[in-house]
Amino acid sequence: MSTRELMLCHGKMTFAQERKIRQTGCDARFDNLTRQLYSTDASIYQIHPVGAAFPKTAEQASLVIHATADAGLSITPRGAGTSLVGNAIGDGLIVDFSRYNRQITDLDLEKRSVRVGAGVVLDQLNEFLKPHGFCFGPDVATSSRATLGGMIANNSSGARCPIYGTTSDHVMSLKIVMADGRLEKIGASHESLVSERATIEKLVRAARTEMTERWPPGLIKRWPGYGIQRFLRVPNDLTNILAGSEGTLAAIFSAELKISPLPREKGLGLIFFASVAEAMQATVELVDLKPAAIEHIDRPLFDGTKGQLQFQAARDLLELDTKPCESILIVEFYEDVAERLSILQSKKIGLRTKIVSEQAQMNMVWSVRKSGLSLLTGCIGPAKPVAFIEDAAVRPAQLPEYVRGLQSIMKPLGLDASYYGHAASGLLHVRPVLDMHSPADLKKFRQVADETSALVRQFKGSLSAEHGVGIARTEYMRDQLGNQLLEVMREIKRAFDPKNVFNPGKIFADASEPDGHQHKIDNHLRENFTRPLELPFQPVLAFAFKDRSFTGNLEQCNGCGGCLKQSGIMCPTFIATHDEVMSTRGRANIIRAALELRLARNDGVARGGKMTAGKPSLLGDPLKSAELDAALSNCLSCKGCTPECPSNVNLALLKAEMLHARWRRDGLPLRERILSNVDLLGKLGCLMPRLTNRFLDFKPVRVAMEKTIGISRHRSLPQYANERFDKSFAKRLGSAGASPAVFGASPKTSVVAPKFEEPALLNVSREARDTAGEAPALPRRGKLILWDDTFVRYHEPHIGIAAVKVLEALGFEVALVKNRRCCGRPAFSQGNLDASAELANYNVKIVSSLQYSNPPILFLEPSCWSMFVEDYRELKIENAERIAERCFSFEKFVDDLLTREPEALRFKERVANVVIHPHCHAKSIANPEFMGKLAERLPGTKATVLDTACCGMAGAFGALAEKYDLSVQIAQRLLDQLDNQPSRTEVIASGTSCRHQITDLTNLRPKHMAEFLAEAL
Ligand SMILES: Cc1cc2nc3c(=O)[nH]c(=O)nc-3n(C[C@H](O)[C@H](O)[C@H](O)COP(=O)(O)OP(=O)(O)OC[C@H]3O[C@@H](n4cnc5c(N)ncnc54)[C@H](O)[C@@H]3O)c2cc1C
Ligand code: SF4
Ligand code: SF4
C-alpha cells in the first residue's frame, strides 16, 4: 500500500472536514469498517475512501455533496457496486444511493413512464411494473441488485439490446445534484443548465466529423465515455451526456424512465456447435432474423455447471452429458415466435437445433447464461478469469475475425479464455484466466490489455460497450477516442464539475494531479493480489465442497454483489437491513481486511464511543477487532451463501474458522462455552424438569441471565419435557416386554463392535393399531435409526413420537442410538471446533461400529442433518463420507418412499391450508419444493412452500440480548408471509429454531412435518 493510501486508509480527513459533512444531517460514516467495506466493487481494484454517506432525500444529497466538495474531498456516487472495472470506488466520500433512495412513484401508463429513486433495483422495478403489463427494457445480468442510478451512469444494457437498446434510450429526465450542491432537472423538456448546454453543444458540433470517422455505424451497444453522439442527435437533452458518465459529472438522485410493454410471447432456439468459430459465423447469418437476443456460451462456461445440483436440470435439457459440443447459441424471439423458430430450424446450422418454448425450461437456459461470469470465476485455485477486456464490442459481422484476433493474442501467452456473451450485439465477455498474485501473469495481463485495445481500434469497435471505462480502461481512452474527442469530454467535465469533484481520474486521466488520479490498468489492484494473504493460524476445516482451502474460498468472493439481492436464502441479514456489512460480500471483505491487517486496533474510537477519522493507528489484530465482530457476529451461519453465491463462498465455514482461531489463542469465553453445551443443559434440565422450568421462568433469573451471559429476557426459553423422548421410547418398549429400545455402545465399548439389539418399538405401534381396530402389521422394511437430537430428546418429545408413528406405519423398525452425543452443531456455530470435532468423531465411530447392515439414519432437525452430511466432512472426520450417504432428513426419506410407493401410507382426509417454512440448512442441501408435495399427500390438503430465508433465530443467535432486534427484523419477511395467509392456516416448520421464532413472534403454533403426517394416520 502506498503511503498516500495508508493515510487514506487510516483517515486522511481532518476533524474539520468530517464535522462539516456531519453537520449536513446526512447519515455519514467515516469509521474504518465503512472505509474497508467501500474500498472495493466487483472489480480487481481497491481504493480506500474516507467514508460513505447515505442520503435519504434530495436535500440531504445536495447538502452532503456540497459540504464534501467544499471540504476539498472527491465524491464517488455508488449504487450496488457491481461495476467490473473500478468505476464505483474512489478515495474521497462514497455517496451510496442504494440504501434509502428506493422509491418508485408517478407511474403513468398512458405516457409509459415511471419515476424511480437512483437506488431502485432493476428487479424491484420490474416486479412493480409486471402487474401493469410493463417492464424496463435493458436487462443487465445483475438485475437482482444493480440500481437504476448505476445503470444510467454506466449506460448499461443486456442480452436484449437489439430490441431495447441501452439504458440511455429509456431516460426521459433526471434529477441531479451538481458539485456545488445545486439540484437540477435535466431532459428534453427541461430548460436547465443553459450555459453548460450551450458549451457542450458547441463542442460536440465541432467534433461531428471526428465522431463519424471514429465511430462508424453498426455498433449496437455504446461508445466509451459521455454520449456525445447521442447528444448531437438530440442537443437539448443532457440526459444523453449523463448516461454513461460513470459518476464523473454529477450525482443522479432520481430518474423519469420510459417503460416498455411486456412481450406477448417468447421462444428460444438453441443451436449447438463443434467450435466457437462456427458459432460466430452463424451469428452473422442469424442477426437477419431480428431476434431479441443471440447469446453465446461455450464449453469453459457450461463445464462449470458440472456436478452442481442447481444446474443439473439445465444440463439434462441441453443434453450436455450425452451429446457433447463446444459452443451453443441461444437465440430468443419475441414476435412471430413459431414462424421464426421454424425458419431457424430449417436452416440446419451447427450440430443440432433444439426449440424451447416452455417458460420453466427457458428460465433454466437463461439461468446458465446469467450465471456465466460466476460459473467461470468460481473455478478452484488462484488463477481466475479476469475482467479487463471483457466489454469490447465490434459489429456482429466482424465477430469471426475479431475472435481470431483475440485468440492470436491469447495463444502465444498460453492463456485460456471463455468467449461467452451478447453475440447479437458483437460483445463477447472474454476473460483470460490469470493468477493475479503472480508477477508473470501480471505482465501477461498488461500485454493482453494493450494488444486488445489495438485490436478493437483496428475494428473501429468499442472497448467499453456496457460496463464502463472505470480504472481498467482509462489509460486506453486516448487511443480509443483520439485527442479531439477526449478533449471534448474533458471540456464537458469542466463545464459540469469545474473543481473535479466527481469520481476524478475515471474515463480520462486527470492532468491536474500527476500522481493521484492517473489510473493505470495495473494500479490499485486489490491488496490480496499484490500482498498474498498470510494466515496467522492453521486452518482446521477441509473446505471440502470446493476450494479445499480457507484462502481459496475467501478469495472466491469477487464482489459481484449477488448476495445483495432481496430474494432467496442469501443473505438474510442484508435483506433485512440493506447494510453492506450485513452481506456475504461485506463479511468476506472484512475478513480479508483483517488478514491484511487493515483493521485498526484503536481506530479512532473516541468521543462518545463513535468512530472518527482519528489518527493513523497501529496495524490491527487479525483475529479480534470491532470491524471483525461487526462482520462475523451477525452472520447467522445459515449456509444460504454456499449454494446461492455463484462462486460458493461459504461464510459459515470462514466464520467458524476465524472464531476458532481466536478462541484457540484467547480461550473460549463463558457464553460460547455454555452455548456449545445445550445437549448437556438438556440432560441436566430434564433431571427435574418442572423445577427447572419454573426457575427459568422466574423474572429475576432471566434478568440475571441477561446480565451475565447475555440471553435476552424477551425470549421464551425452551421448556424441559417431563419425560425425555429416549426414556419414554425405552419405557414403552420395556412395558411391552421387549428388549431395550435403544441400541449402540458407550464410547468405551465402541472399540468392541457393539451388538445390535433387537428394537421392539414395533409393539408400541401394534398396540396403537390394535386400538384403532386395524390388523397389526409386521415390519417389512427392516431397521432404521432415528437421530433423537437435543431438542426432540429433551424439549419436544412429541415430535419424536410422531416420527416413530409414521415410520412404523411405513413398516420400519425404529431404533435410537444409545449414548449418542450432541451432533456438535451448537459448538460448531460458536467456532468451538475442537469440541465439535470430538463429538463428531464419537458419533461417527458409534454409528459405524453398530453390527448391523448400515441402516439409514433419519434426522428430524435439519441443522443436525447438515452437520452429519456436510460439516463432519469439513471437520475431516474419518468415515464421515460413508456415514453421510446413510443420512436423510425425515421428510425427504418419507417423501422418496411415498414417491416410489404411493400406497405405502394411507392418510386420513385433512381439509387444511398449510404453509411450510423450510429450514435454511435443509434448503442449502436440497430444493425444498418436495415438502409441499409431501404435505399434499394428505387428501384435502393444499400446501405452499414459503419463499423465506433463515427465520432469524439461527440456533442461539436470536436468543442473545444484543441480537434480539436484528433477529426480529430478519424474521419480518417470514412474518409478513404468515400474516397474509387465510386464518386457520397450519404452519409447518422443521427447524426447532424456526418453530421457536414463530411461536415467540406470533400466536401460531407451528408443527414439525412428522406431527402433521402422524396426525393423519
Ligand atoms: C456478474 C456481473 C454481470 C454483469 N452483467 C452486466 C450486463 O449484463 N450488462 C451490463 O451493462 N452490465 C453488467 N454488469 C456491470 C454492472 O452490473 C452494471 O453496470 C450495473 O448497471 C451497475 O449498477 P450498480 O448499481 O452496481 O452501480 P455501481 O457499480 O455502484 O456504479 C456504477 C457507476 O455509476 C456511478 N453511479 C452509481 N450511482 C450513481 C448515481 N446515483 N449518480 C451518479 N452516478 C452513479 C458510479 O460512480 C459508477 O461509476 C455486470 C456485473 C457483474 C458483476
Ligand atoms: S459473496 Fe458471492 S455473491 Fe456475494 S459478492 Fe462475493 S462472490 Fe458475489
Ligand atoms: S451464512 Fe447466512 S447470514 Fe452468513 S453470510 Fe452466508 S447467507 Fe449471510
Side-chain angles (χ1 to χ4, degrees), residues 159-298:
R160 281 82 178 200
C161 193
I163 53 167
Y164 290 126
T166 69
T167 300
S168 172
D169 297 317
H170 301 260
V171 177
M172 297 169 82
S173 71
L174 294 174
K175 187 171 188 175
I176 58 170
V177 190
M178 306 287 283
D180 57 7
R182 253 180 309 153
L183 281 166
E184 298 284 358
K185 280 190 183 157
I186 57 169
S189 58
H190 293 286
E191 285 299 320
S192 53
L193 300 179
V194 179
S195 76
E196 286 87 346
R197 223 165 356 126
T199 310
I200 297 170
E201 206 176 320
K202 205 164 130 204
L203 286 164
V204 171
R205 275 190 203 291
R208 181 198 293 263
T209 317
E210 179 69 0
M211 276 191 263
T212 317
E213 156 59 21
R214 289 225 162 229
W215 296 337
L219 200 94
I220 292 169
K221 295 239 170 190
R222 52 163 288 209
W223 300 106
Y226 308 146
I228 51 181
Q229 211 188 31
R230 290 166 191 270
F231 185 74
L232 188 67
R233 289 200 295 269
V234 194
N236 59 339
D237 189 353
L238 280 174
T239 64
N240 284 318
I241 298 292
L242 258 289
S245 64
E246 300 180 36
T248 61
L249 297 179
I252 300 160
F253 185 77
S254 63
E256 188 190 4
L257 302 173
K258 284 182 212 161
I259 54 176
S260 311
L262 283 168
R264 282 191 298 270
E265 50 171 347
K266 288 182 188 176
L268 287 187
L270 307 174
I271 313 178
F272 300 80
F273 295 91
S275 73
V276 172
E278 285 171 56
M280 294 300 104
Q281 197 54 54
T283 303
V284 180
E285 193 179 334
L286 292 168
V287 167
D288 292 341
L289 288 177
K290 303 228 173 309
I294 307 177
E295 295 289 295
H296 178 241
I297 54 177
D298 59 1

Side-chain angles (χ1 to χ4, degrees), residues 445-578:
F445 168 63
R446 167 157 285 285
Q447 190 176 335
V448 171
D450 291 349
E451 291 181 15
T452 304
S453 172
L455 182 73
V456 172
R457 270 292 298 135
Q458 203 181 310
F459 284 96
K460 296 202 173 183
S462 171
L463 189 61
S464 163
E466 58 176 33
H467 298 159
V469 176
I471 292 176
R473 294 184 263 269
T474 287
E475 70 171 287
Y476 299 106
M477 281 306 109
R478 187 167 295 282
D479 269 355
Q480 296 294 317
L481 300 172
N483 287 337
Q484 187 183 0
L485 297 187
L486 196 73
E487 211 37 53
V488 168
M489 293 197 190
R490 263 187 209 283
E491 287 301 324
I492 293 175
K493 167 84 174 166
R494 275 185 205 121
F496 263 90
D497 179 19
K499 293 189 180 157
N500 196 17
V501 169
F502 278 111
N503 218 3
K506 309 282 172 66
I507 303 182
F508 34 75
D510 169 14
S512 65
E513 285 196 42
D515 73 333
H517 297 129
Q518 303 281 352
H519 291 310
K520 294 276 181 217
I521 189 163
D522 35 18
N523 283 359
H524 299 298
L525 291 174
R526 283 188 182 207
E527 281 168 27
N528 55 314
F529 294 150
T530 48
R531 202 160 50 92
L533 292 176
E534 277 174 32
L535 299 185
F537 57 87
Q538 185 60 38
V540 296
L541 297 175
F543 289 87
F545 177 66
K546 194 155 154 185
D547 301 288
R548 314 214 183 279
S549 123
F550 175 95
T551 309
N553 190 253
L554 180 62
E555 290 196 337
Q556 284 288 8
C557 179
N558 51 47
C560 75
C563 44
L564 309 187
K565 65 193 169 77
Q566 291 296 301
S567 57
I569 54 171
M570 163 188 76
C571 165
T573 48
F574 183 82
I575 292 174
T577 62
H578 289 182

Side-chain angles (χ1 to χ4, degrees), residues 569-573 582-584 587 634-641 651-652:
I569 54 171
M570 163 188 76
C571 165
T573 48
M582 294 283 186
S583 67
T584 316
R587 294 186 175 114
N634 295 318
C635 169
L636 305 163
S637 299
C638 71
K639 291 174 175 265
C641 38
L651 224 293

Side-chain angles (χ1 to χ4, degrees), residues 543-773:
F543 289 87
F545 177 66
K546 194 155 154 185
D547 301 288
R548 314 214 183 279
S549 123
F550 175 95
T551 309
N553 190 253
L554 180 62
E555 290 196 337
Q556 284 288 8
C557 179
N558 51 47
C560 75
C563 44
L564 309 187
K565 65 193 169 77
Q566 291 296 301
S567 57
I569 54 171
M570 163 188 76
C571 165
T573 48
F574 183 82
I575 292 174
T577 62
H578 289 182
D579 195 338
E580 181 77 25
V581 71
M582 294 283 186
S583 67
T584 316
R585 173 171 84 175
R587 294 186 175 114
N589 278 335
I590 292 301
I591 296 175
R592 266 202 355 263
L595 297 174
E596 286 160 358
L597 302 179
R598 282 189 275 118
L599 296 187
R601 196 175 282 155
N602 59 348
D603 176 58
V605 181
R607 293 173 302 158
K610 284 202 171 142
M611 295 281 217
T612 71
K615 283 185 258 166
S617 53
L618 297 169
L619 293 180
D621 178 340
L623 298 179
K624 191 176 176 190
S625 62
E627 297 91 332
L628 206 50
D629 278 351
L632 297 187
S633 75
N634 295 318
C635 169
L636 305 163
S637 299
C638 71
K639 291 174 175 265
C641 38
T642 323
E644 286 201 358
C645 161
S647 306
N648 306 112
V649 171
N650 191 332
L651 224 293
L653 291 192
L654 295 169
K655 171 187 163 181
E657 194 84 84
M658 292 294 283
L659 289 179
H660 176 244
R662 183 164 156 191
W663 306 146
R664 262 196 168 173
R665 190 190 68 179
D666 302 345
L668 188 68
L670 176 67
R671 181 167 83 184
E672 282 67 11
R673 199 174 290 275
I674 293 173
L675 295 178
S676 296
N677 281 299
V678 284
D679 195 69
L680 178 65
L681 296 179
K683 199 172 188 173
L684 297 174
C686 279
L687 292 176
M688 286 187 287
R690 284 197 187 86
L691 190 68
T692 315
N693 290 333
R694 229 174 293 147
F695 176 72
L696 291 176
D697 282 345
F698 191 42
K699 238 184 184 165
V701 172
R702 296 304 307 271
V703 173
M705 278 174 79
E706 186 169 299
K707 282 199 177 135
T708 50
I709 52 168
I711 302 293
S712 168
R713 73 185 91 166
H714 303 300
R715 276 288 173 202
S716 67
L717 291 178
Q719 297 280 297
Y720 293 98
N722 288 339
E723 187 167 46
R724 286 167 45 162
F725 172 58
D726 56 334
K727 301 271 185 219
S728 72
F729 189 88
K731 208 156 80 189
R732 286 153 84 198
L733 286 169
S735 71
S739 52
V742 284
F743 68 90
S746 74
K748 287 188 190 101
T749 57
S750 65
V751 186
V752 183
K755 257 192 138 180
F756 182 85
E757 311 223 31
E758 188 68 16
L761 188 64
L762 184 68
N763 293 347
V764 176
S765 302
R766 211 181 282 158
E767 276 171 37
R769 279 195 286 271
D770 284 348
T771 323

